[in-house]
Amino acid sequence: MFQRAIKSLELVELDATSPGVLLENLLEVAPRLNCLKVIQGQHDHLELQFICEKFSYLQHLEVDVRKVTAADNFVRFDGLAHLQELKLWGLIGINYIHPNNVRCLTISYGFLTDDDLIKIPEKFPLLKRLILDICYQVSRPGIERLHKLIPSCRIDCYEQRFYPVDNSTSN
């Protein structure tokens, strides 16, 4: 219905438990989509693979990845060459993510450990900002080790800035 009516669409927020058909139709309507938020439900590897293969112009992606596991043969965010900002809900480990060019990574309700943290520089070599929001298994010593590996990266955890240390009152 919208295929010829929409000339420019930059952001779409899908609130659907199984967005597969919606994603296919969205690709037809907005193949050059800039920002996609798939916020409801847990999305499987095939839906995530479809996004990574077909929405090549994405710069911002927010998705729940609780159902994606290492058995799914890795997540190919590297296929999104323009992706700058990535927000992952429910991330369980980091081993299955391919290295990519993301500069801002947010992990919410993640099940990461300190061992996962030290793998972040390998998976996200251009990372400039990391936000850990409700990642209970991550410790302060783990964050300190990560900072040594990527000293130029701003790290926020539990709404507190860890690095760089802010000595002034301005942001």
Side-chain angles (χ1 to χ4, degrees):
M1 179 171 96
F2 292 112
Q3 193 166 4
R4 293 187 185 109
I6 299 174
K7 303 274 191 241
S8 175
L9 186 62
E10 290 187 15
L11 178 133
V12 171
E13 187 172 310
L14 294 177
D15 190 355
T17 305
S18 298
V21 173
L22 290 172
L23 287 170
E24 290 175 20
N25 291 327
L26 180 61
L27 181 63
E28 289 181 29
V29 173
R32 298 178 67 105
L33 188 65
N34 181 307
C35 180
L36 177 62
K37 296 180 181 183
V38 187
I39 59 171
Q40 180 64 32
Q42 300 172 19
H43 310 293
D44 65 23
H45 179 258
L46 295 176
E47 291 167 347
L48 193 55
Q49 181 180 338
F50 181 85
I51 292 169
C52 291
E53 289 176 0
K54 304 296 184 182
F55 289 95
S56 60
Y57 291 95
L58 281 180
Q59 292 181 21
H60 308 278
L61 175 62
E62 181 176 333
V63 69
D64 188 326
V65 293
R66 281 178 274 192
K67 287 178 72 176
V68 179
T69 66
D72 293 322
N73 297 322
F74 298 99
V75 178
R76 300 302 309 236
F77 294 117
D78 60 321
L80 298 169
H82 303 285
L83 192 64
Q84 299 289 312
E85 187 173 349
L86 178 63
K87 184 170 186 176
L88 301 173
W89 293 85
L91 183 65
I92 301 171
I94 202 162
N95 287 333
Y96 61 87
I97 295 178
H98 271 265
N100 57 76
N101 294 327
V102 168
R103 286 175 173 72
C104 180
L105 174 65
T106 301
I107 300 172
S108 292
Y109 296 97
F111 300 94
L112 297 181
T113 64
D114 289 347
D115 289 338
D116 290 315
L117 287 183
I118 61 172
K119 296 171 188 165
I120 286 177
E122 172 191 338
K123 303 294 183 173
F124 302 93
L126 301 178
L127 197 64
K128 296 295 177 202
R129 184 169 183 203
L130 174 64
I131 301 166
L132 300 171
D133 182 30
I134 309 176
C135 296
Y136 296 113
Q137 297 174 349
V138 170
S139 71
R140 185 175 189 100
I143 294 170
E144 290 169 358
R145 279 192 298 277
L146 176 61
H147 174 63
K148 288 178 184 173
L149 295 172
I150 48 174
S152 64
C153 182
R154 175 179 163 179
I155 302 173
D156 296 339
C157 187
Y158 310 118
E159 298 182 2
Q160 176 185 359
R161 182 178 300 172
F162 279 81
Y163 298 102
V165 177
D166 189 6
N167 292 328
S168 68
T169 57
S170 64
N171 285 334

Coordinates of all heavy atoms in Angstrom, one line a residue, residues 78-132:
D78 N 28.7 -7.1 10.6 CA 29.7 -6.6 9.6 C 29.2 -6.4 8.2 O 29.7 -5.6 7.4 CB 31.0 -7.5 9.6 CG 30.6 -8.9 9.1 OD1 29.6 -9.4 9.5 OD2 31.5 -9.5 8.4
G79 N 28.0 -7.0 7.9 CA 27.4 -6.8 6.7 C 26.7 -5.4 6.6 O 26.4 -4.9 5.5
L80 N 26.6 -4.7 7.7 CA 26.0 -3.4 7.8 C 27.1 -2.4 7.8 O 27.5 -1.9 8.8 CB 25.1 -3.2 9.0 CG 23.9 -4.2 9.0 CD1 23.2 -4.1 10.4 CD2 22.9 -3.8 7.9
A81 N 27.7 -2.1 6.6 CA 28.9 -1.3 6.5 C 28.7 0.1 7.1 O 29.7 0.8 7.5 CB 29.3 -1.2 5.1
H82 N 27.5 0.7 7.1 CA 27.3 2.0 7.6 C 26.8 2.1 9.0 O 26.6 3.2 9.6 CB 26.2 2.7 6.7 CG 26.5 2.7 5.3 ND1 27.5 3.6 4.7 CD2 26.1 2.0 4.2 CE1 27.6 3.4 3.4 NE2 26.7 2.4 3.1
L83 N 26.7 0.9 9.7 CA 26.2 0.9 11.1 C 27.1 1.6 12.0 O 28.3 1.2 12.1 CB 26.0 -0.6 11.5 CG 25.2 -0.8 12.8 CD1 23.8 -0.3 12.6 CD2 25.2 -2.3 13.1
Q84 N 26.6 2.6 12.7 CA 27.4 3.4 13.7 C 27.0 3.1 15.1 O 27.8 3.0 16.0 CB 27.2 4.9 13.4 CG 27.6 5.3 12.1 CD 29.1 5.3 11.9 OE1 29.8 5.8 12.8 NE2 29.6 4.7 10.9
E85 N 25.7 2.8 15.3 CA 25.2 2.7 16.7 C 24.4 1.4 16.7 O 23.5 1.1 15.9 CB 24.3 3.8 17.0 CG 23.9 3.8 18.5 CD 23.2 5.1 18.9 OE1 23.2 6.1 18.1 OE2 22.6 5.1 19.9
L86 N 24.7 0.6 17.7 CA 24.0 -0.7 17.9 C 23.5 -0.8 19.3 O 24.3 -0.6 20.3 CB 25.0 -1.8 17.5 CG 24.5 -3.3 17.7 CD1 23.3 -3.6 16.8 CD2 25.6 -4.2 17.4
K87 N 22.3 -1.2 19.5 CA 21.7 -1.4 20.9 C 21.2 -2.8 20.9 O 20.3 -3.2 20.1 CB 20.6 -0.4 21.2 CG 20.2 -0.6 22.7 CD 19.3 0.5 23.1 CE 18.9 0.4 24.6 NZ 18.1 1.5 25.1
L88 N 21.7 -3.7 21.8 CA 21.3 -5.0 21.9 C 20.7 -5.3 23.2 O 21.3 -5.0 24.3 CB 22.6 -5.9 21.7 CG 23.3 -5.8 20.4 CD1 24.6 -6.6 20.4 CD2 22.5 -6.2 19.2
W89 N 19.5 -5.9 23.2 CA 18.8 -6.3 24.4 C 19.0 -7.8 24.6 O 18.9 -8.6 23.7 CB 17.3 -6.0 24.2 CG 17.0 -4.6 24.1 CD1 17.0 -3.8 23.0 CD2 16.6 -3.7 25.2 NE1 16.6 -2.5 23.3 CE2 16.3 -2.4 24.7 CE3 16.4 -3.9 26.5 CZ2 15.9 -1.3 25.4 CZ3 15.9 -2.8 27.3 CH2 15.7 -1.6 26.7
G90 N 19.4 -8.1 25.9 CA 19.4 -9.5 26.2 C 20.6 -10.3 25.6 O 20.5 -11.5 25.4
L91 N 21.7 -9.6 25.4 CA 22.9 -10.3 24.8 C 23.4 -11.3 25.8 O 23.7 -11.0 26.9 CB 24.0 -9.2 24.5 CG 25.2 -9.7 23.8 CD1 24.9 -10.3 22.4 CD2 26.2 -8.6 23.7
I92 N 23.6 -12.5 25.3 CA 24.2 -13.6 26.1 C 25.5 -14.0 25.5 O 25.6 -14.7 24.5 CB 23.2 -14.8 26.1 CG1 21.9 -14.5 26.6 CG2 23.8 -16.0 26.9 CD1 20.8 -15.6 26.5
G93 N 26.6 -13.4 26.1 CA 27.9 -13.7 25.5 C 28.2 -12.8 24.3 O 27.3 -12.2 23.7
I94 N 29.4 -12.9 23.9 CA 29.8 -12.0 22.7 C 30.6 -12.8 21.7 O 30.9 -12.3 20.6 CB 30.6 -10.8 23.2 CG1 30.6 -9.7 22.3 CG2 32.0 -11.2 23.6 CD1 30.9 -8.4 22.8
N95 N 30.9 -14.1 21.9 CA 31.7 -14.9 21.0 C 31.1 -15.0 19.6 O 31.8 -15.1 18.7 CB 31.9 -16.3 21.6 CG 32.9 -16.3 22.7 OD1 33.7 -15.4 22.8 ND2 32.7 -17.2 23.6
Y96 N 29.8 -15.0 19.5 CA 29.1 -15.2 18.2 C 29.0 -14.0 17.4 O 28.4 -14.0 16.3 CB 27.8 -15.9 18.4 CG 26.8 -15.2 19.2 CD1 25.9 -14.3 18.6 CD2 26.6 -15.4 20.6 CE1 25.0 -13.6 19.3 CE2 25.7 -14.7 21.3 CZ 24.9 -13.8 20.6 OH 23.9 -13.1 21.4
I97 N 29.5 -12.8 17.8 CA 29.4 -11.6 17.0 C 30.6 -11.4 16.2 O 31.8 -11.5 16.7 CB 29.2 -10.4 17.9 CG1 27.8 -10.5 18.6 CG2 29.2 -9.1 17.1 CD1 27.5 -9.4 19.5
H98 N 30.5 -11.2 14.9 CA 31.6 -11.0 14.0 C 32.1 -9.5 14.2 O 31.4 -8.6 14.6 CB 31.2 -11.0 12.5 CG 31.2 -12.4 11.9 ND1 32.3 -12.8 11.2 CD2 30.4 -13.4 12.0 CE1 32.1 -14.0 10.8 NE2 31.0 -14.4 11.3
P99 N 33.4 -9.3 14.0 CA 34.0 -8.0 14.1 C 33.2 -7.0 13.2 O 32.9 -7.4 12.1 CB 35.4 -8.1 13.7 CG 35.7 -9.6 14.1 CD 34.5 -10.3 13.8
N100 N 33.0 -5.8 13.6 CA 32.3 -4.8 12.8 C 32.7 -3.4 13.1 O 33.6 -3.2 13.9 CB 30.8 -5.0 13.1 CG 30.5 -4.8 14.5 OD1 30.5 -3.7 15.0 ND2 30.3 -5.9 15.2
N101 N 32.1 -2.4 12.4 CA 32.6 -1.0 12.5 C 31.7 -0.2 13.5 O 31.8 1.0 13.4 CB 32.5 -0.4 11.1 CG 33.6 -1.0 10.2 OD1 34.6 -1.5 10.7 ND2 33.3 -1.1 9.0
V102 N 31.0 -0.8 14.3 CA 30.1 0.0 15.3 C 31.0 0.9 16.1 O 32.0 0.5 16.6 CB 29.3 -1.0 16.1 CG1 28.6 -0.3 17.3 CG2 28.2 -1.7 15.2
R103 N 30.5 2.1 16.3 CA 31.2 3.1 17.1 C 30.6 3.3 18.5 O 31.2 3.7 19.5 CB 31.3 4.4 16.4 CG 32.4 4.3 15.3 CD 32.4 5.6 14.5 NE 33.5 5.6 13.5 CZ 33.6 4.8 12.4 NH1 32.6 4.0 12.1 NH2 34.6 4.9 11.6
C104 N 29.3 3.1 18.6 CA 28.5 3.2 19.8 C 27.7 1.9 20.1 O 26.9 1.6 19.3 CB 27.6 4.4 19.8 SG 26.7 4.7 21.3
L105 N 28.0 1.3 21.2 CA 27.4 0.0 21.5 C 26.7 0.2 22.9 O 27.3 0.6 23.8 CB 28.4 -1.1 21.6 CG 27.9 -2.5 22.1 CD1 26.9 -3.1 21.1 CD2 29.1 -3.4 22.3
T106 N 25.4 -0.2 22.9 CA 24.6 -0.3 24.1 C 24.2 -1.7 24.3 O 23.6 -2.3 23.4 CB 23.4 0.7 24.1 OG1 23.9 2.0 23.8 CG2 22.6 0.7 25.4
I107 N 24.4 -2.2 25.5 CA 23.9 -3.5 25.9 C 23.0 -3.4 27.1 O 23.5 -2.9 28.2 CB 25.1 -4.5 26.2 CG1 26.0 -4.6 25.0 CG2 24.6 -5.8 26.6 CD1 27.3 -5.3 25.2
S108 N 21.8 -3.7 26.9 CA 20.8 -3.6 28.0 C 20.3 -5.0 28.4 O 20.0 -5.8 27.5 CB 19.6 -2.8 27.5 OG 20.0 -1.4 27.3
Y109 N 20.1 -5.2 29.6 CA 19.7 -6.5 30.2 C 20.6 -7.6 29.6 O 20.1 -8.7 29.2 CB 18.2 -6.7 29.9 CG 17.3 -5.8 30.6 CD1 16.9 -4.6 30.0 CD2 17.0 -5.9 32.0 CE1 16.1 -3.7 30.6 CE2 16.3 -5.0 32.6 CZ 15.8 -3.9 32.0 OH 15.0 -3.0 32.6
G110 N 21.9 -7.4 29.6 CA 22.8 -8.3 29.0 C 23.3 -9.3 30.0 O 23.3 -9.0 31.2
F111 N 23.7 -10.5 29.5 CA 24.2 -11.5 30.4 C 25.7 -11.7 30.1 O 26.1 -12.8 29.7 CB 23.4 -12.8 30.2 CG 22.0 -12.6 30.6 CD1 21.1 -12.3 29.6 CD2 21.6 -12.7 31.9 CE1 19.7 -12.2 29.9 CE2 20.2 -12.6 32.2 CZ 19.3 -12.3 31.2
L112 N 26.4 -10.6 30.2 CA 27.9 -10.6 29.9 C 28.6 -10.8 31.1 O 28.2 -10.4 32.2 CB 28.3 -9.3 29.3 CG 27.7 -8.9 27.9 CD1 28.2 -7.5 27.5 CD2 27.9 -9.9 26.9
T113 N 29.8 -11.4 31.0 CA 30.7 -11.5 32.1 C 32.0 -10.7 31.8 O 32.1 -10.1 30.8 CB 31.2 -13.0 32.2 OG1 31.9 -13.3 31.0 CG2 30.0 -14.0 32.4
D114 N 32.8 -10.6 32.8 CA 34.1 -9.9 32.6 C 34.9 -10.4 31.5 O 35.6 -9.7 30.8 CB 34.9 -9.8 33.9 CG 34.2 -9.0 35.0 OD1 33.3 -8.2 34.7 OD2 34.7 -9.1 36.2
D115 N 34.8 -11.8 31.3 CA 35.5 -12.4 30.2 C 35.0 -11.9 28.8 O 35.7 -11.8 27.9 CB 35.5 -13.9 30.3 CG 36.3 -14.5 31.4 OD1 37.2 -13.8 31.9 OD2 36.0 -15.6 31.9
D116 N 33.7 -11.7 28.8 CA 33.1 -11.2 27.6 C 33.6 -9.7 27.3 O 33.8 -9.4 26.1 CB 31.6 -11.1 27.6 CG 31.0 -12.5 27.6 OD1 31.4 -13.3 26.8 OD2 30.1 -12.8 28.4
L117 N 33.7 -9.0 28.3 CA 34.2 -7.6 28.2 C 35.5 -7.5 27.5 O 35.7 -6.6 26.6 CB 34.3 -6.9 29.5 CG 33.0 -6.5 30.2 CD1 33.3 -5.7 31.5 CD2 32.1 -5.6 29.3
I118 N 36.4 -8.3 27.8 CA 37.8 -8.2 27.2 C 37.8 -8.6 25.7 O 38.7 -8.4 25.0 CB 38.9 -9.0 28.0 CG1 38.5 -10.5 28.0 CG2 39.0 -8.4 29.4 CD1 39.7 -11.3 28.6
K119 N 36.7 -9.2 25.2 CA 36.6 -9.6 23.8 C 36.0 -8.4 23.0 O 36.0 -8.4 21.8 CB 35.7 -10.8 23.6 CG 36.3 -12.0 24.3 CD 35.4 -13.2 24.3 CE 36.0 -14.3 25.1 NZ 35.0 -15.3 25.5
I120 N 35.4 -7.4 23.7 CA 34.8 -6.3 23.0 C 35.7 -5.6 22.0 O 35.3 -5.3 20.9 CB 34.1 -5.3 24.0 CG1 32.9 -6.0 24.5 CG2 33.8 -4.0 23.4 CD1 32.1 -5.2 25.6
P121 N 37.0 -5.3 22.4 CA 37.8 -4.6 21.4 C 38.1 -5.4 20.1 O 38.2 -4.8 19.0 CB 39.2 -4.4 22.2 CG 38.8 -4.5 23.6 CD 37.6 -5.4 23.7
E122 N 38.1 -6.7 20.2 CA 38.2 -7.5 19.0 C 37.0 -7.5 18.1 O 37.1 -7.4 16.9 CB 38.5 -8.9 19.4 CG 38.5 -9.9 18.3 CD 38.6 -11.4 18.8 OE1 39.0 -11.6 19.9 OE2 38.1 -12.2 18.0
K123 N 35.8 -7.5 18.7 CA 34.6 -7.5 18.0 C 34.1 -6.1 17.5 O 33.5 -6.0 16.5 CB 33.4 -8.1 18.9 CG 33.7 -9.5 19.4 CD 33.8 -10.5 18.3 CE 34.0 -11.9 18.9 NZ 33.9 -12.9 17.9
F124 N 34.5 -5.1 18.2 CA 34.2 -3.7 17.9 C 35.4 -2.8 17.9 O 35.6 -2.0 18.8 CB 33.1 -3.2 19.0 CG 31.9 -4.0 19.0 CD1 31.8 -5.1 20.0 CD2 30.8 -3.8 18.2 CE1 30.6 -5.8 20.0 CE2 29.7 -4.5 18.3 CZ 29.6 -5.6 19.2
P125 N 36.3 -3.0 17.0 CA 37.6 -2.3 17.0 C 37.5 -0.8 16.9 O 38.5 -0.1 17.3 CB 38.4 -2.9 15.8 CG 37.3 -3.5 14.9 CD 36.2 -3.9 15.8
L126 N 36.4 -0.2 16.4 CA 36.3 1.2 16.2 C 35.4 1.9 17.3 O 35.0 3.0 17.2 CB 35.7 1.6 14.9 CG 36.5 1.1 13.6 CD1 35.7 1.4 12.3 CD2 37.9 1.7 13.6
L127 N 35.2 1.1 18.4 CA 34.2 1.5 19.4 C 34.7 2.8 20.1 O 35.9 2.9 20.5 CB 34.1 0.4 20.4 CG 32.9 0.5 21.4 CD1 31.6 0.5 20.6 CD2 32.9 -0.6 22.4
K128 N 33.9 3.8 20.2 CA 34.2 5.1 20.9 C 33.3 5.2 22.2 O 33.6 6.1 23.0 CB 33.9 6.3 20.0 CG 34.9 6.2 18.8 CD 36.3 6.4 19.2 CE 37.2 6.4 18.1 NZ 38.6 6.0 18.5
R129 N 32.2 4.5 22.2 CA 31.3 4.6 23.4 C 30.6 3.3 23.7 O 30.1 2.7 22.8 CB 30.3 5.7 23.2 CG 29.4 5.9 24.4 CD 28.5 7.2 24.2 NE 27.8 7.3 25.5 CZ 26.7 8.0 25.6 NH1 26.2 8.6 24.5 NH2 26.0 8.1 26.7
L130 N 30.7 2.9 24.9 CA 30.1 1.7 25.4 C 29.2 2.0 26.6 O 29.6 2.6 27.5 CB 31.1 0.6 25.8 CG 30.6 -0.7 26.5 CD1 29.8 -1.5 25.4 CD2 31.8 -1.5 27.0
I131 N 27.9 1.6 26.4 CA 27.0 1.8 27.5 C 26.5 0.4 28.0 O 25.9 -0.4 27.2 CB 25.8 2.6 27.0 CG1 26.2 4.0 26.5 CG2 24.7 2.8 28.2 CD1 25.2 4.7 25.8
L132 N 26.7 0.1 29.2 CA 26.3 -1.2 29.8 C 25.1 -0.8 30.7 O 25.3 -0.2 31.7 CB 27.4 -1.9 30.6 CG 28.6 -2.2 29.7 CD1 29.8 -2.7 30.6 CD2 28.3 -3.3 28.7

